Amino acid sequence: MHDDDEVGGRVTLATVAKEAGVSMPTVSKVLNGRSDVSRATRTKVERLLETHGYRRRGQSVSRSPLIEIVFHELDSVWSMELIRGVENVAKENRATVALTESGTRHTPAPDWLPGVLQRRPLGVVLVFSALPKDVKRRLRAAAIPFVVIDPAGDPDPDVPSVGSANWAGGLAATRHLTDLGHERVAIITGPEDMLCSLARLDGYRSALALAGLETDPRLTRFGDFHVRGGFTHAVELLDGPDRPTAIFAGSDLQALGVLEAARVRGLRVPEDLSVVGYDDVPPAQWSSPPLTTVHQPLRHMAEEAARMLLRPDAPGTAAQRIELATHLVVRQSTAPPERA
Amino acid sequence: MHDDDEVGGRVTLATVAKEAGVSMPTVSKVLNGRSDVSRATRTKVERLLETHGYRRRGQSVSRSPLIEIVFHELDSVWSMELIRGVENVAKENRATVALTESGTRHTPAPDWLPGVLQRRPLGVVLVFSALPKDVKRRLRAAAIPFVVIDPAGDPDPDVPSVGSANWAGGLAATRHLTDLGHERVAIITGPEDMLCSLARLDGYRSALALAGLETDPRLTRFGDFHVRGGFTHAVELLDGPDRPTAIFAGSDLQALGVLEAARVRGLRVPEDLSVVGYDDVPPAQWSSPPLTTVHQPLRHMAEEAARMLLRPDAPGTAAQRIELATHLVVRQSTAPPERA
């Protein structure tokens, strides 16, 4: 795949070694993530590699036929869709997927990085929003392309990323409900500190305004993207005065919690309550009733990210941003409101 | 991790080269899965490697800190649990998970094998029952340990494997229903050609016999382990004469299909129909109502398989078989039958 790398690589490394005033083996050690190099030397060499890497990225070292995907946390539905996307592209390119769970909440623990540097993959797909400066510098120094899949809708301007259209998704979900005739529409969006939650909420508000409806602040909730949060907020919404006839849940898992809340309160879906999810992960098709939801193209997003890595002009420097469209999938959890 | 490998390895390779009447580089090529060796030479060298490998397995070549997991098909719920198990053990051992989807129905396509031979992982976890002779021989020749996770309950006597107690699981699920007082208990087990389906069916029959109940052949169905199969069979069972008051579905996905069939037929779960799943994958907790189900310890099975690979006496020859226990998890989809 990169048959010319060796030649191009050696020229660069010799130049860097000369400019840094160190030996070629020392530059190699830095490139390979070895620990037996002083911190000062490593930083000096990395900075030079980064500079030269800008011009030679993707061609400066020989590569293992691996595409890495790094998660902060493997969860069962989201992660699998992303893995499948990367695996599709890996298979097309006779490469293998290497998978790492970094084990922290939003950013990767630094301990995954030396492994990546040693393995010299074709590239790295990172599934989280915030990427420490140090990580960016070291990946660029080693000329390893990387792309962030940005589920939170909060792209680092300095990093190439793939996201999807959260505002438009929130708008489409809510318009579907107002088009059916719902006037009391609640939203359980995601956590307050994630931009995707705010974008979906703004889409919801705009759809209500387009339908000539006021936004009732009592009908706006911030969830946790999990079943439990959807359940708890839905029970409160259904127990309140003048209960909503429709709930736009900010994720499919939250929507499953809403279905359970409806069951516990003796309400039928969709006859007594319409429910719209978000994501369109497989459980949305398996629920009872199957969920109307906003399709977030997770697998496609992962495929795009992996393809970006494999391009001759693979990113790592220029902050490309690809945003894929979302669209509504109508199944059986929504219907016109029954007139009381 | 295998610092002494190089020395031990070279002795073996020299011996093999001599016995095969080929050069050392040729033996290396065979070991590394290279294609520029004649088929006859490859087979001769592999056979000799296999013989010597029996005595030196796990020590004859240096290894990448990779644990491979090979699926015939990545599905979203099962596969993720297995990946998480392997990832847990990889993390403990500072190794990385490499993931391959072989893309055929029950056995791996041969094209994944050269990649594994080239990468020289610490070991390979294979998620399928039937393993071609050729694959076994080549993995053994390369002294790459492998373990099969055997979801179908049909272990190859020649291969180390990890499974779980299917008969006991079927018995526990059905006993729970007869203990609640159900007398019309149906089963939708898995495909007829998988031993795990038959083991669960036999557990069901034994539980009915223990409760003094006859097995009604009209209440026995073979499904496909997917939501659609559960739905279709459940609709037929519910539309039949003298409908069952409880259904033991052979998988959680089939159980989700049964829930949807109940909804479509206007039956409440558990008041009008009790439902028991199998597997206890995450969607079992997210359904409405949450599913009573048989916990199959998928993550733990994957951890055991990965640990077997990393033992100094890693398998590959002796046919070890580990069978982990299953147990019933009671949630809200089961209740005593309502008396008509």
Side-chain angles (χ1 to χ4, degrees):
Chain A
M1 182 150 271
H2 290 274
D3 289 330
D4 302 327
D5 289 352
E6 283 303 299
V7 176
R10 277 179 193 148
V11 172
T12 305
L13 299 195
T15 312
V16 167
K18 200 175 160 196
E19 289 182 25
V22 299
S23 69
M24 280 281 283
T26 301
V27 176
S28 285
K29 281 179 184 175
V30 171
L31 261 180
N32 294 331
R34 293 260 299 268
S35 55
D36 51 347
V37 182
S38 79
R39 193 183 175 84
T41 303
R42 198 191 78 198
T43 305
K44 181 161 50 165
V45 171
E46 280 177 355
R47 294 237 161 90
L48 283 163
L49 282 166
E50 189 178 19
T51 311
H52 289 278
Y54 284 161
R55 271 170 271 145
R56 295 185 175 277
R57 60 181 181 274
Q59 303 184 354
S60 57
V61 282
S62 68
R63 304 253 176 243
S64 306
L66 287 175
I67 301 177
E68 306 255 347
I69 180 164
V70 185
F71 291 91
H72 74 266
E73 192 186 356
L74 287 169
D75 80 34
S76 67
V77 284
W78 258 67
S79 311
M80 199 68 221
E81 291 303 297
L82 297 174
I83 291 170
R84 290 167 93 169
V86 174
E87 167 68 16
N88 287 348
V89 175
K91 210 183 282 175
E92 284 166 23
N93 291 278
R94 300 178 166 276
T96 299
V97 176
L99 186 135
T100 303
E101 185 182 41
S102 77
T104 57
R105 178 89 174 75
H106 282 302
T107 54
D111 59 344
W112 60 272
L113 191 56
V116 168
L117 296 178
Q118 279 162 33
R119 285 189 293 275
R120 293 196 191 182
L122 301 173
V124 186
V125 175
L126 300 151
V127 189
F128 25 68
S129 295
L131 204 55
K133 266 200 161 31
D134 181 51
V135 169
K136 290 183 247 182
R137 195 189 68 231
R138 297 184 69 184
L139 286 171
R140 284 177 182 146
I144 294 174
F146 60 97
V147 174
V148 166
I149 293 179
D150 169 36
D154 196 2
D156 185 337
D158 191 25
V159 167
S161 67
V162 180
S164 72
N166 286 296
W167 182 86
L171 185 87
T174 313
R175 272 191 114 155
H176 170 64
L177 293 168
T178 57
D179 285 351
L180 286 169
H182 291 276
E183 299 181 352
R184 295 281 299 160
V185 179
I187 180 171
I188 307 171
T189 188
E192 206 157 357
D193 62 352
M194 290 174 81
L195 284 192
C196 63
S197 307
L198 302 179
R200 293 175 199 174
L201 176 59
D202 281 345
Y204 156 86
R205 286 182 176 140
S206 289
L208 291 184
L210 285 170
L213 298 167
E214 302 257 321
T215 304
D216 180 345
R218 289 171 304 173
L219 297 187
T220 295
R221 303 280 173 145
F222 291 93
D224 59 0
F225 280 148
H226 288 110
V227 179
R228 173 57 45 185
F231 176 79
T232 310
H233 286 296
V235 165
E236 287 176 21
L237 287 164
L238 297 176
D239 288 349
D242 199 10
R243 68 170 176 79
T245 60
I247 298 177
F248 166 36
S251 73
D252 289 336
L253 294 189
Q254 287 186 172
L256 295 180
V258 175
L259 292 185
E260 175 63 359
R263 188 190 70 90
V264 166
R265 285 295 178 260
L267 298 172
R268 295 162 304 158
V269 175
E271 294 86 346
D272 305 316
L273 180 72
S274 283
V275 181
V276 181
Y278 201 103
D279 289 334
D280 196 24
V281 285
Q285 299 175 47
W286 304 335
S287 71
S288 183
L291 284 176
T292 295
T293 189
V294 176
H295 181 79
Q296 173 159 227
L298 295 167
R299 206 181 302 185
H300 189 188
M301 286 160 70
E303 287 171 355
E304 277 303 314
R307 288 215 176 86
M308 280 166 84
L309 297 175
L310 299 179
R311 280 187 207 130
D313 60 337
T317 54
Q320 296 179 33
R321 166 77 176 175
I322 292 181
E323 193 147 288
L324 297 179
T326 49
H327 66 268
L328 189 75
V329 179
V330 178
R331 295 200 184 96
Q332 296 169 51
S333 64
T334 48
E338 292 200 339
R339 300 295 163 192
Chain B
M1 182 153 272
H2 290 273
D3 288 329
D4 302 327
D5 290 354
E6 282 303 297
V7 175
R10 275 175 194 150
V11 173
T12 305
L13 299 194
T15 311
V16 167
K18 200 174 157 198
E19 288 182 23
V22 300
S23 69
M24 280 280 283
T26 302
V27 176
S28 285
K29 282 180 185 174
V30 171
L31 260 181
N32 294 333
R34 293 259 299 269
S35 55
D36 52 348
V37 182
S38 78
R39 193 186 174 80
T41 302
R42 198 191 79 197
T43 305
K44 181 160 50 162
V45 171
E46 280 178 354
R47 293 238 163 91
L48 283 163
L49 281 166
E50 188 178 19
T51 311
H52 289 279
Y54 283 160
R55 269 172 272 143
R56 296 183 175 278
R57 60 178 182 274
Q59 303 187 355
S60 56
V61 283
S62 69
R63 304 256 175 240
S64 306
L66 287 176
I67 301 177
E68 306 256 347
I69 180 163
V70 185
F71 291 90
H72 74 265
E73 192 187 358
L74 287 168
D75 79 35
S76 68
V77 284
W78 257 68
S79 310
M80 199 67 219
E81 291 301 298
L82 297 175
I83 290 169
R84 290 169 93 171
V86 174
E87 167 68 17
N88 286 347
V89 174
K91 210 182 283 173
E92 285 166 20
N93 292 278
R94 301 178 164 279
T96 299
V97 176
L99 186 134
T100 303
E101 185 183 40
S102 77
T104 56
R105 177 90 171 78
H106 282 303
T107 53
D111 60 343
W112 60 274
L113 192 55
V116 168
L117 296 178
Q118 278 160 33
R119 286 188 293 276
R120 295 196 191 182
L122 300 173
V124 186
V125 175
L126 300 151
V127 188
F128 26 67
S129 295
L131 204 55
K133 268 203 160 25
D134 181 49
V135 169
K136 290 184 247 180
R137 193 188 68 231
R138 297 184 68 183
L139 286 171
R140 284 177 182 146
I144 293 174
F146 59 97
V147 173
V148 167
I149 293 178
D150 167 36
D154 196 3
D156 184 336
D158 192 26
V159 166
S161 67
V162 180
S164 71
N166 286 297
W167 183 86
L171 184 87
T174 314
R175 272 190 113 156
H176 170 64
L177 293 168
T178 57
D179 285 352
L180 287 169
H182 291 276
E183 297 180 354
R184 295 282 298 161
V185 179
I187 180 170
I188 307 170
T189 189
E192 205 157 359
D193 62 351
M194 290 174 79
L195 284 192
C196 63
S197 307
L198 302 180
R200 292 173 199 175
L201 176 59
D202 281 346
Y204 156 87
R205 286 182 176 142
S206 289
L208 291 183
L210 284 171
L213 298 168
E214 301 257 322
T215 304
D216 180 346
R218 290 171 304 172
L219 298 187
T220 296
R221 303 280 174 146
F222 291 93
D224 59 0
F225 280 148
H226 289 109
V227 179
R228 175 57 43 187
F231 176 79
T232 311
H233 286 296
V235 166
E236 287 177 21
L237 287 164
L238 296 175
D239 287 349
D242 198 10
R243 69 169 176 79
T245 60
I247 298 178
F248 167 37
S251 73
D252 289 336
L253 294 188
Q254 287 185 173
L256 295 179
V258 175
L259 293 184
E260 175 63 359
R263 189 189 70 88
V264 168
R265 285 296 178 259
L267 299 172
R268 295 162 304 158
V269 175
E271 295 85 346
D272 305 316
L273 180 72
S274 283
V275 181
V276 181
Y278 201 105
D279 289 335
D280 196 24
V281 285
Q285 298 174 48
W286 304 335
S287 71
S288 183
L291 283 177
T292 295
T293 189
V294 176
H295 181 77
Q296 173 159 228
L298 295 167
R299 202 180 306 185
H300 189 188
M301 285 159 70
E303 287 172 354
E304 279 302 314
R307 289 216 174 88
M308 280 165 83
L309 296 175
L310 300 179
R311 282 188 206 131
D313 59 337
T317 53
Q320 298 179 35
R321 167 77 176 175
I322 293 181
E323 191 147 290
L324 297 178
T326 49
H327 66 269
L328 189 76
V329 178
V330 178
R331 296 199 183 97
Q332 295 169 53
S333 65
T334 47
E338 292 199 340
R339 298 298 160 191

